Amino acid sequence: TYVERDADGNVVLEEERNRATRADAALRRIRDFDPVTGLPNRRRLLNDLPSWLRHTNQQTTLLMLRLDQQETLSGTVGLVALESLMAEAAARFEQHARENWQRPARLSDTRLVHIIPGIPETARISTIANDLLTSMRLPFYVEGKELSLSASIGIALAPQDGRNAEALIAAAESACRSAHEAGGNRFHFFSSELNAMALTKLGLQSELRRAMLHGQLELHYQPIVSGANHHICGVEALVRWNHPERGILLPEMFIEEVAQLGLSEELDRMILQQSCREACEWRDRHGSEITLSVNVSTRSFQFDGFPEMVRGILRETGLEPNRLELEIVESSALIDPGRALTTLDRLRAVGVRCALDDFGTGYSSLSHLRELPVDCIKIDRSFVDNVLTNPRDAAIVAATITLAHSLGLEVVVEGIETERQMQWFIRHEADRLQGFLFSAPVSRDELHRMLASREQWLARSNDGDMQGL
Ligand code: C2E
Ligand code: MG
Ligand code: MG
């Protein structure tokens, strides 16, 4: 064999040197790359980011993505399944990155990040983020089951949101959290100014009118289950804009614009007509006795002719009034309490039920409960997390439920994402529950399927059943 001597005259074998090189490469792979997704890992990211920042003269964009159902998933699918799911999500993420010259990495078990050198136009970043969200909404297949998931994305820009790696990551993290808290399946910029700009820059306003005319606004339905027996006892109609280029847009992307264009009443009318018609179909095809909940915009609620319009739509579609529940956000009832009282009375004379949506986020909520003639309150999602972690919040929510019951009101809780949250609210006798734990909003066809099979969501931990995720 070939023999070489080092400086001290020791013999070094060629083969040995090769082995050392290989071992070194393997070590670097283990050190710098995540074995599950094959993406650069946290260590590598924290190592590279400062040089990227220097290299780009601090002009860098960081996108952070997290699956909305992450918490529920870790409680329900096995570790191996969870990893293969993350690998699939990362593959979609990476493919996207390759098309867009971005640097993907896995920051932690649950968080993927992209670094985009430079700061593209806000509209361009929005498009990238939107495309990523769309790719995460394609079904995932895990353990032979199909899961529909969604993600939240936070976006931070250097230098304005953070000058070093740590600050930038923290900003993206906080934007990601706020996107998730706003309902998930959306992106938020760290800077609120850019958030507003993203909307107008997307040029949605000019397209909105056309979209309404061409039937691009469609309804999805989120099941609401009974706290007593876990059967679907209702659905909430939630509007989506099926945009030809941008994919499905959520209401927060356009509902403000609808109001600004003065189209709220028209939209509410369209949604009421369509959802009442579909509710009659559920009744006729599946004999189902579920309640339809429809959100009412502040504008419609203040429009004098609104109760008559509702009466007209019920007559025209043939839906029984007591099958319809109108959700009015607490704040629109508080603008002019005297008038709200009259409108609510008139609506109840039509025979529909009225609910106060986002309850707890308004001013002096409890004191108004006694005066407003409503049938039901929907406790806002923001309380759901806190009941498990904050004893003061837990006490307030528990007392609210008791008070509502003593006034003869039903209590609905929205935004239930974990088994523990569900158990807390069942223990405190919430009447109806809604949230990703049971089901995300689904299409009309998917709802038909659910009603046909009369799905029941018993505590899924009993049998590891993933239905409804
Ligand atoms: P909302 O009436 O409070 O609706 C509940 C929102 O929470 C929905 O978001 C729903 O997808 C989301 N959500 C449900 N479960 C969970 C969960 O477990 N976790 C999390 N993080 N979020 C959950 P979406 O569809 O984006 O709607 C947002 C808001 O837009 C609605 O809030 C409502 O105020 C408004 N909106 C939606 N559809 C309509 C509509 O047809 N007409 C009017 N006027 N407003 C609508
Ligand atoms: Mg609602
Ligand atoms: Mg709400």
Side-chain angles (χ1 to χ4, degrees), residues 395-417:
I396 291 172
V397 173
T400 304
I401 297 176
T402 309
L403 177 67
H405 282 162
S406 72
L407 292 170
L409 306 181
E410 271 194 64
V411 176
V412 185
V413 183
E414 62 183 358
I416 301 226
E417 295 183 355

Side-chain angles (χ1 to χ4, degrees), residues 68 152 179-186 218-219 222 236-240 250-252 254-255 264 267-268 271 294-298 300 327 329 357-358 378 380-381 414-418 421 434-441:
D68 287 325
S152 294
H180 179 70
E181 279 163 8
N185 193 15
R186 68 193 70 203
E218 53 186 54
L219 288 177
Q222 185 173 33
E236 177 174 5
L238 294 161
V239 68
R240 267 89 184 99
L250 291 170
E252 81 148 14
F254 61 88
I255 215 95
S264 300
L267 180 69
D268 283 3
I271 287 169
V294 178
N295 294 288
V296 177
S297 67
T298 305
S300 289
E327 295 189 0
V329 279
D357 201 354
D358 301 347
K378 281 189 96 163
D380 191 67
R381 206 166 57 224
E414 62 183 358
I416 301 226
E417 295 183 355
T418 68
Q421 293 166 348
Q434 177 182 2
F436 293 162
L437 177 66
F438 308 102
S439 169

